[in-house]
Amino acid sequence: MNAVVFDAIKTLLDEGKTPTVALTKSKLSQPMPMPVIIAAVSQYKNNPDSIKNFINNPSNEHVSAPKESQLDRIEAKLDRLLALLEKK
């Protein structure tokens, strides 16, 4: 389970609410792909103890740095190509 989604589910549980995809998405601290959210909520609904297991396993609590989006990479390449064209 992704740490960001886990935190959102944990927040909902702390508020006494039942996690749903929509509620979980509304509590996210950063954008996440919908399949990741759905998988996490499904995992929680199938096994509510999975949250406790996640808490007890500190290796899961690291949050990886957000990766550069594909659009950002394409824009950077375009900027380099335009700079090369301007030199000629």
Side-chain angles (χ1 to χ4, degrees):
M1 188 182 306
N2 185 290
V4 174
V5 181
F6 160 75
D7 289 337
I9 291 173
K10 186 175 179 317
T11 300
L12 289 169
L13 293 172
D14 290 345
E15 294 174 358
K17 297 178 181 176
T18 301
T20 63
V21 173
L23 284 174
T24 302
K25 185 175 180 183
S26 71
K27 295 291 183 181
L28 292 174
S29 61
Q30 66 187 43
M32 294 299 298
M34 190 60 77
V36 173
I37 300 168
I38 293 168
V41 171
S42 294
Q43 180 180 344
Y44 168 75
K45 287 185 177 184
N46 290 333
N47 182 10
D49 291 334
S50 64
I51 294 291
K52 293 176 189 170
N53 294 338
F54 194 86
I55 292 170
N56 294 332
N57 188 354
S59 65
N60 288 334
E61 292 183 14
H62 74 282
V63 177
S64 60
K67 295 182 180 177
E68 186 178 23
S69 74
Q70 185 176 7
L71 181 59
D72 291 337
R73 291 190 308 271
I74 292 170
E75 287 177 347
K77 287 180 183 179
L78 181 59
D79 289 340
R80 284 187 297 235
L81 288 172
L82 289 173
L84 287 171
L85 286 172
E86 288 174 356
K87 287 182 182 179
K88 293 183 178 184

